[in-house]
């Protein structure tokens, strides 16, 4: 049973951050050495590119401003950021890179740093590991002298890079090198694989000066064994072209003891003689990184902590609840609220909790015009909820008009100070007014699409605000508009790439247009609810611009919209399901009904999935070449790499022949599998098993069945059914909460001490005391919760220690040795 529990331990990795800017970029080498070439950045896991920014116009100090987030679906050694320039012939020329080993990521997590760019040298672009077995034996020759034989067995490699998007044709060379010798052997070439199985053994003759009396007995030169080393190099066989270096490792012969077999995994390293140049000549890159690695235990381990958190809405007062305590001790940590919100959403406990913390905040709010203006626990919870629950709502409401604004790129500047020569301020004003009208109309006419859970929260906020400030007729609207306009729609307009409405950060001119629209939408939303006067605007040009909206009855439209999304009327969730694009992008698709092998069988296609259908197109925007109804999808599974000798392949099994697709990288493949799995998870015809290989040569290559319609030989992946159509991993979210509580153990202890002090001393609080930093209404109730929380955390830590204390041995597959470099 213990083995079964251990098998459920999962190591889950994710990376969030921002590629901020570069400065003082060096000119690229080659005939076009302009310092003003257009540049862009990429992110790679080892040598696999998983993210790319948009191309930035000519500048030696570009501001990229690109946010990124992705789950990391596989082990990796190094995270790299590359800066490229696009030449006049559209060639991608590397300027420099920033490479961070996985073990060093924790040093930069949660911080923003400048990194010097390092040179990009083909001999340094390596990844993967090699499995070696070595033995040094002493043997007696025919003349009675001692001689040492070295046996080197190269077993296999794993994780070699793709070459031009395809699996490589690797081979290995094994050498015994020293100051005066270099004996080399070579393995056979393995075709189309990133994980070659070599299983080849090589022998070398080694001697010591004290082993014999006459050097003429041997063909090898006498030398000290201390100076000898085994060098293993991996190469890609290019046939007619020059072979490509894939990596090397060096093992000193002195570590081998007589008659002892040394068997270990080694990480492949760059060549030590790569081109060297001064890194500070290449420029630098500013990055913000947050790398998270969660060790997730079996579900039963998290039940006590999860139960404590889910009881929070029922605790009186709410400040004594576990969820509120988490928000208190992690007040400066944004990531503390998100896992808690996800957990409460999944278990349908969010509305009562946020209503309770909102009521607590309102009790401490003295004036109606400052309602929900701060960065409190209530506002952070609602912000995160809207981003999660309202993602589809935003896409349907704003994406069409945001796309139009970004693609038409009309000039909208109305600030006289910012106008460029030749700009017509009246034309710009008309452009901006047209965009604002479209955005404003899209929002105020979207109430039918507002998710029911958001409506429940807005209704609660409205009721609480009226109860707290009964004499103010506008407060019921400002309580809602401060979230839906100021913190939801206006922020999404300002940063559409952060809400997945656009793939990249907009260029400066479009960003300025979106800023003006966002500012207008904020003001229109609060104007209608707070009855602001035009004279309250600071900028004269904004005052003149807003006069044109007086006749549009904006106040009435905003009031009607706020009434509809916060009323007690139950409504159907309509509209969102009609045209929601869940994911789209370029892939390689295998032609249906063709032969198993051949490059022509795979063609670039634009794959698009909505909540209703999966389709592929010759190019983006073109008519669909094939449409598959989501209801007909029977399974979505990974395809074994050996099926087509390609990585990142998956299959969509439907009523006709399976659709075989190759994603651009491992992150893309994981995202396609997740989206397609979620959208088809409730289909009646879903399969219980699938074939991980293809049906070729008259049989399934995996199970050798001769019938094309034979049941699969491998169980299908079970897709979790989540509430709110959200894919929430509750165990992982609870593990994150546990990690945050553990990191803030000192503050937890301080809060416990503060409760004990307050329970005894009921005099006036002194600001110098530690307890003044926490919201503690009932010290005894809060102290009791803290004690329960402490006991639960200690037990969970014990489970971690019990199950995860065995670190992989150095040289194992999971903990390869970092070999010596030249």
């Amino acid at each position: 049973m213990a083995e079964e529990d251990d098998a459920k331990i999962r190591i889950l990795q994710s990376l969030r951050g921002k590629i901020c800017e570069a400065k003082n970029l060096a000119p690229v080498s080659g005939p076009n050495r302009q310092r003003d070439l257009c540049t862009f950045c990429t992110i790679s896991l080892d040598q696999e590119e998983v993210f790319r920014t948009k191309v930035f116009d000519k500048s030696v100090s570009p501001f990229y401003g690109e946010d990124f987030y992705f789950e990391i679906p596989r082990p990796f050694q190094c995270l790299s950021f590359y800066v490229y320039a696009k030449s006049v012939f559209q060639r991608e020329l590397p300027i420099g890179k920033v490479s961070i080993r996985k073990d060093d990521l924790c040093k930069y997590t949660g911080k923003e740093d400048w990194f010097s760019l390092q040179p990009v040298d083909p001999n340094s672009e390596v990844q993967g590991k090699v499995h070696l077995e070595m033995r040094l034996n002493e043997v007696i020759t025919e003349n009675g002298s001692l001689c040492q034989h070295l046996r080197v067995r190269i077993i296999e490699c794993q994780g070699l890079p793709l070459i031009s998007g395809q699996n490589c044709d690797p081979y290995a060379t094994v050498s015994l090198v020293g100051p005066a010798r270099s004996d080399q052997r070579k393995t056979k070439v393995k075709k189309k694989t990133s994980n070659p199985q070599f299983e080849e053994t090589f022998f070398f003759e080694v001697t010591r000066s004290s082993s014999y009396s006459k050097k003429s007995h041997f063909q090898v030169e006498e030398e000290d064994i201390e100076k000898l080393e085994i060098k293993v190099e991996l190469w890609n066989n290019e046939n007619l072209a020059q072979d490509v270096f894939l990596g090397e490792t060096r093992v000193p012969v002195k570590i081998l003891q007589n008659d002892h077999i040394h068997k270990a995994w080694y990480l492949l390293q760059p060549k030590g003689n790569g081109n060297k140049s001064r890194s500070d000549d290449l420029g630098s890159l500013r990055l913000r990184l947050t790398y998270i690695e969660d060790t997730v235990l079996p579900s039963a381990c998290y039940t006590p902590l999860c139960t404590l958190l889910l009881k929070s809405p029922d605790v009186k007062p709410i400040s004594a609840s576990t969820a509120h305590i988490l928000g208190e001790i992690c007040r400066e940590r944004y990531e503390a609220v998100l896992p808690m919100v996800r957990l409460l959403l999944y278990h349908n406990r969010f509305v009562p909790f946020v209503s309770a913390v909102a009521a607590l905040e309102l009790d401490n709010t003295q004036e109606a015009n400052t309602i929900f203006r701060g960065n409190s626990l209530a506002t952070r919870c609602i912000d995160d909820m809207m981003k999660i629950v309202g993602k589809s709502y935003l896409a349907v409401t704003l994406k069409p008009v945001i796309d139009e604004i970004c693609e038409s790129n009309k000039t909208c500047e109305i600030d006289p100070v910012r106008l460029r020569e030749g700009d017509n301020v009246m034309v710009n004003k008309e452009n901006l007014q047209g965009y604002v009208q479209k955005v404003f109309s899209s929002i105020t006419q979207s109430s039918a699409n507002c998710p029911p859970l958001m409506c429940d929260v807005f209704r609660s906020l409205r009721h609480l605000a009226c109860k707290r400030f009964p004499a103010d007729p506008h407060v019921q609207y400002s309580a809602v508009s401060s979230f839906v306009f100021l913190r939801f729609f206006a922020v999404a307009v300002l940063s559409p790439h952060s809400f997945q409405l656009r793939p990249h950060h907009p260029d400066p001119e479009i960003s300025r247009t979106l800023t003006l629209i966002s500012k207008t939408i904020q003001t229109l939303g609060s104007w209608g609810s707070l009855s602001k006067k035009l004279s309250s605007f600071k900028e004269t040009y904004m005052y003149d611009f807003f006069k044109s909206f007086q006749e549009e009855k904006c106040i009435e439209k905003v009031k009607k919209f706020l009434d509809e999304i916060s009323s007690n009327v139950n409504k159907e969730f309509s509209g969102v399901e009609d045209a929601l694009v869940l994911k789209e992008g370029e892939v390689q698709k295998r032609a249906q009904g063709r032969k198993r092998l051949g490059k022509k069988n795979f063609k670039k296609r634009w794959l698009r999935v909505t909540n209703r259908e999966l389709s592929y197109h010759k190019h983006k925007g073109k008519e669909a070449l094939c449409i598959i109804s989501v209801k007909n999808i029977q399974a979505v599974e990974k395809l074994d790499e050996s099926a087509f000798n390609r990585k990142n392949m998956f299959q969509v099994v439907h009523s006709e022949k399976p659709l075989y697709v190759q994603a651009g990288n491992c992150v893309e493949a994981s995202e396609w599998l997740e989206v397609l799995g979620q959208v088809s998870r409730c289909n009646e015809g879903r399969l219980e098993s699938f074939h991980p290989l293809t049906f070729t040569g008259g049989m399934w290559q995996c199970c050798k069945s001769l019938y094309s319609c034979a049941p699969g030989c491998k169980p299908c992946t079970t897709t979790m059914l989540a509430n709110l159509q959200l894919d929430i991993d509750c165990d992982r979210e609870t593990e994150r909460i546990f990690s945050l509580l553990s990191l803030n153990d000192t503050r937890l202890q301080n809060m416990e001490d503060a409760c004990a002090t307050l329970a005894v001393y009921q005099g006036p609080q002194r600001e110098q005391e530690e307890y003044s930093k926490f919201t503690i209404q009932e010290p005894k109730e809060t102290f009791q919760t803290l004690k329960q929380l402490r006991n639960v955390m200690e037990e969970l830590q014990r489970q971690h220690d019990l199950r995860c204390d065995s670190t992989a041995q150095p040289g194992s597959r999971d903990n390869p040795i970092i070999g010596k470099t030249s």
Side-chain angles (χ1 to χ4, degrees):
M1 190 66 185
E3 291 181 2
E4 291 182 8
D5 286 346
D6 290 342
K8 295 179 182 177
I9 295 176
R10 297 175 291 150
I11 307 297
L12 303 177
Q13 309 167 97
S14 63
L15 184 71
R16 181 190 304 276
K18 187 171 189 175
I19 301 175
C20 304
E21 61 179 315
K23 66 179 179 182
N24 303 326
L25 295 180
V28 296
S29 59
N32 301 304
R33 293 176 59 89
Q34 303 104 312
R35 291 183 60 84
D36 57 355
L37 288 179
C38 301
T39 63
F40 64 93
C41 286
T42 66
I43 303 177
S44 292
L45 294 172
D46 298 322
Q47 296 306 301
E48 183 178 18
E49 183 182 315
V50 296
F51 180 84
R52 177 176 289 220
T53 70
K54 66 182 292 186
V55 177
F56 197 92
D57 285 339
K58 300 177 180 180
S59 173
V60 294
S61 297
F63 181 84
Y64 297 109
E66 292 272 14
D67 296 298
F68 59 86
Y69 172 81
F70 50 85
E71 297 288 327
I72 301 176
R74 63 168 177 82
F76 72 102
Q77 301 170 25
C78 193
L79 177 71
S80 299
F81 298 81
Y82 292 83
V83 180
Y84 288 92
K86 264 194 180 299
S87 71
V88 290
F89 302 108
Q90 296 301 301
R91 290 178 57 213
E92 297 177 359
L93 308 171
I95 295 176
K97 68 176 181 179
V98 173
S99 289
I100 306 172
R101 296 198 69 85
K102 178 185 174 181
D103 294 341
D104 295 329
L105 279 173
C106 58
K107 299 177 184 177
Y108 308 104
T109 289
K111 296 187 294 185
E112 200 169 277
D113 292 282
W114 281 99
F115 296 85
S116 296
L117 292 176
Q118 304 297 321
V120 178
D121 171 18
N123 285 334
S124 69
E125 305 297 288
V126 304
Q127 71 176 65
K129 52 192 173 184
V130 59
H131 195 193
L132 302 176
E133 180 182 290
M134 295 161 284
R135 184 172 185 173
L136 190 62
N137 292 331
E138 278 194 349
V139 296
I140 301 177
T141 62
E142 293 179 357
N143 63 359
S145 299
L146 283 177
C147 177
Q148 288 184 315
H149 277 196
L150 174 65
R151 180 170 67 90
V152 180
R153 177 171 165 239
I154 179 166
I155 304 171
E156 61 178 315
C157 288
Q158 284 193 351
L160 297 181
L162 299 177
I163 302 295
S164 301
Q166 304 295 318
N167 281 332
C168 53
D169 294 336
Y171 68 90
T173 61
V174 182
S175 306
L176 180 64
V177 296
R181 68 184 287 180
S182 180
D183 301 339
Q184 187 179 91
R185 313 285 191 272
K186 178 180 174 182
T187 69
K188 295 177 182 177
V189 175
K190 299 295 181 180
K191 293 290 186 180
K192 302 299 179 187
T193 178
S194 296
N195 304 308
Q197 301 283 328
F198 290 109
E199 295 290 353
E200 294 192 40
T201 303
F202 303 101
F203 294 91
F204 299 90
E205 194 171 19
V206 182
T207 61
R208 287 182 178 174
S209 56
S210 59
S211 300
Y212 56 92
S213 56
K214 295 183 179 180
K215 287 176 60 175
S216 58
H217 291 165
F218 300 95
Q219 297 301 314
V220 295
E221 183 178 349
E222 173 191 345
E223 60 185 330
D224 191 347
I225 194 171
E226 296 287 324
K227 300 176 182 178
L228 294 177
E229 62 184 12
I230 304 155
K231 181 174 72 170
V232 179
E233 292 182 318
L234 271 296
W235 297 85
N236 180 58
N237 181 42
E238 289 286 333
N239 292 323
L240 299 178
Q242 184 176 358
D243 291 353
V244 176
F245 175 75
L246 301 178
E248 70 170 32
T249 190
R250 292 171 177 252
V251 183
V253 173
K254 65 183 179 181
I255 71 168
L256 306 179
Q257 298 176 2
N258 287 340
D259 298 322
H260 173 71
I261 297 176
H262 177 77
K263 189 175 181 180
W265 285 87
Y266 284 84
L267 283 179
L268 294 176
Q269 299 292 304
K271 269 192 180 178
N273 60 352
N275 294 331
K276 303 291 183 181
S277 64
R278 292 178 59 194
S279 60
D280 55 348
D281 290 340
L282 301 177
S284 54
L285 189 63
R286 183 161 63 93
L287 304 169
R288 184 173 70 234
L289 303 174
T290 298
Y291 170 72
I292 297 176
E293 183 175 290
D294 298 314
T295 302
V296 183
L297 303 178
S299 296
C301 298
Y302 297 107
T303 300
L305 179 55
C306 188
T307 301
L308 269 182
L309 288 161
L310 296 178
K311 281 171 53 180
S312 295
D314 303 323
V315 175
K316 307 294 183 189
I318 193 65
S319 60
S321 68
T322 302
H324 193 279
I325 289 170
L326 174 68
E328 282 286 291
I329 66 168
C330 303
R331 190 175 295 179
E332 290 82 25
R333 300 185 71 93
Y334 162 78
E335 65 268 26
V337 171
L338 184 59
M340 181 176 71
V341 168
R342 286 179 173 272
L343 206 61
L344 293 169
L345 282 173
Y346 184 87
H347 291 281
N348 295 317
R349 301 290 284 157
F350 179 79
V351 176
F353 174 75
V354 83
S355 298
V357 294
L360 177 61
E361 180 176 339
L362 285 172
D363 288 342
N364 297 317
T365 303
Q366 303 305 316
E367 297 183 12
N369 62 357
T370 62
I371 191 170
F372 298 127
R373 284 292 192 261
N375 188 27
S376 64
L377 179 59
T379 57
R380 285 186 294 160
C381 283
I382 297 172
D383 283 351
D384 282 339
M385 178 276 296
M386 291 190 298
K387 288 179 182 177
I388 297 168
V389 178
K391 185 177 178 181
S392 301
Y393 179 34
L394 271 182
V396 171
T397 306
L398 290 183
K399 194 174 190 315
V401 65
I402 294 293
D403 286 342
E404 179 186 344
I405 293 167
C406 293
E407 290 163 12
S408 60
N409 196 17
K410 294 179 182 178
T411 305
C412 297
E413 186 57 71
I414 58 173
D415 183 355
V417 177
R418 291 174 174 260
L419 288 173
R420 296 175 302 187
E421 186 177 351
D423 280 352
N424 187 321
V425 70
M426 293 307 297
V427 172
N428 291 359
K429 183 178 177 181
E430 289 178 7
N431 292 340
L432 180 59
Q433 186 172 1
Y435 284 152
V436 170
Q437 290 286 11
K438 287 184 178 182
V439 173
F440 182 71
S441 297
S442 294
I443 294 171
T444 54
Q445 295 172 14
S446 70
S447 60
N449 292 332
C450 186
L453 190 135
M454 287 177 63
C455 294
D456 291 343
V457 172
F458 296 152
R459 182 163 57 250
S460 176
L461 295 177
R462 183 173 179 174
H463 169 74
L464 291 169
C466 288
K467 184 178 178 181
R468 176 68 178 85
F469 299 103
D472 191 323
H474 299 298
V475 72
Q476 60 177 315
Y477 296 112
S478 60
V480 179
S481 69
S482 63
F483 286 103
V484 74
F485 276 102
L486 274 64
R487 294 174 176 267
F488 188 57
F489 284 119
V491 179
V493 170
L494 184 65
S495 302
H497 62 296
S498 299
F499 290 81
Q500 291 80 52
L501 299 177
R502 294 289 295 175
H504 297 294
H505 183 75
D507 62 40
E509 187 171 342
I510 294 174
S511 184
R512 171 62 178 166
T513 297
L514 294 174
T515 300
L516 292 171
I517 296 171
S518 176
K519 182 183 290 190
T520 309
I521 293 302
Q522 286 186 55
T523 310
L524 284 172
S526 59
W527 176 22
S529 54
L530 301 177
S531 299
K532 279 190 173 183
K533 296 180 180 179
L534 289 175
S535 58
S536 65
F537 298 122
K538 296 179 181 179
E539 305 96 336
T540 304
Y541 64 88
M542 292 301 290
Y543 172 87
D544 294 335
F545 177 69
F546 270 96
K547 287 194 295 186
S548 60
F549 287 93
Q550 284 183 302
E551 298 178 1
E552 296 297 327
K553 300 182 179 179
C554 292
I555 294 178
E556 288 80 1
K557 290 181 179 180
V558 171
K559 182 176 178 295
K560 180 176 181 291
F561 170 69
L562 295 174
D563 279 333
E564 289 171 347
I565 64 172
S566 60
S567 65
N568 289 316
V569 179
N570 290 326
K571 60 186 181 65
E572 293 294 326
F573 192 27
S574 62
V576 171
E577 293 297 317
D578 289 340
L580 181 58
V581 178
L582 301 175
K583 183 172 175 61
E584 57 183 338
E586 189 175 78
V587 299
Q588 292 274 351
K589 184 198 73 70
R590 182 185 182 245
Q592 301 281 39
R594 299 288 181 87
K595 294 181 180 179
R596 180 171 180 263
L597 302 175
K599 288 186 177 179
K600 292 183 179 179
N601 288 341
F602 284 86
K603 294 184 178 180
K604 287 184 180 179
R605 291 290 182 259
W606 188 263
L607 195 64
R608 185 173 184 263
V609 60
T610 71
N611 51 304
R612 292 192 170 185
E613 61 188 31
L614 171 67
S615 58
Y616 59 82
H617 315 247
K618 193 168 186 178
H619 301 289
K620 183 180 180 180
K622 297 292 185 181
E623 290 186 7
L625 299 175
C626 176
I627 298 176
I628 301 170
S629 173
V630 163
K631 293 181 180 179
N632 293 334
I633 295 177
Q634 299 169 331
V636 184
E637 298 290 343
K638 290 181 180 179
L639 198 65
D640 194 278
E641 181 181 325
S642 61
F644 297 104
N645 289 320
R646 289 173 177 242
K647 284 187 173 182
N648 306 319
M649 290 282 298
F650 64 92
Q651 57 181 315
V652 181
V653 183
H654 57 108
S655 52
E656 299 180 14
K657 292 184 178 180
L659 178 67
Y660 297 122
V661 179
Q662 183 185 28
N665 54 63
C666 62
V667 172
E668 281 286 310
S670 179
E671 290 175 355
W672 278 114
L673 284 164
E674 180 182 347
V675 169
L676 287 166
Q678 286 293 327
V679 78
S680 63
R681 66 192 176 197
C682 297
N683 289 353
E684 293 182 0
R686 281 192 67 91
L687 300 177
E688 294 182 358
S689 58
F690 74 102
H691 293 282
L693 291 175
T694 56
F695 187 83
T696 52
M699 66 179 178
W700 287 104
Q701 297 301 308
C702 41
C703 59
K704 308 306 179 186
S705 174
L706 301 178
Y707 301 99
S708 61
C709 57
C713 54
K714 187 176 181 179
C716 284
T717 306
T718 55
T719 305
M720 180 180 62
L721 295 176
N723 294 342
L724 303 168
Q725 295 186 343
L726 298 174
D727 184 17
I728 295 176
D729 186 338
C730 290
D731 293 341
R732 185 180 193 180
E733 303 303 339
T734 313
E735 171 61 29
R736 284 182 176 172
I737 291 171
F738 167 69
S739 298
L740 287 162
L741 289 169
S742 300
L743 282 172
N744 289 273
D745 184 71
T746 301
R747 286 181 61 84
L748 204 63
Q749 185 61 54
N750 290 341
M751 193 175 191
E752 203 171 311
D753 295 342
C755 288
T757 302
L758 285 169
V760 175
Y761 175 66
Q762 294 294 333
Q765 290 189 10
R766 292 168 291 176
E767 289 188 1
Q768 296 84 356
E769 295 294 336
E770 183 66 35
Y771 59 68
S772 65
K773 299 178 181 179
F774 305 109
T775 302
I776 302 174
Q777 294 174 290
E778 292 288 342
K780 292 183 179 179
E781 186 73 26
T782 307
F783 186 81
Q784 184 178 353
T785 302
L786 284 164
K787 278 297 184 186
Q788 291 176 329
L789 185 58
R790 176 75 66 186
N791 292 336
V792 167
M793 288 175 61
E794 288 175 357
E795 174 58 24
L796 190 48
Q797 184 60 56
R798 191 183 72 82
Q799 292 291 337
H800 268 283
D801 295 340
L802 184 66
R803 300 165 188 268
C804 306
D805 60 353
S806 56
T807 305
Q809 290 294 320
S812 64
R813 185 195 304 264
D814 297 327
N815 187 18
I817 298 169
I818 300 176
K820 176 184 173 184
T821 57
S822 56

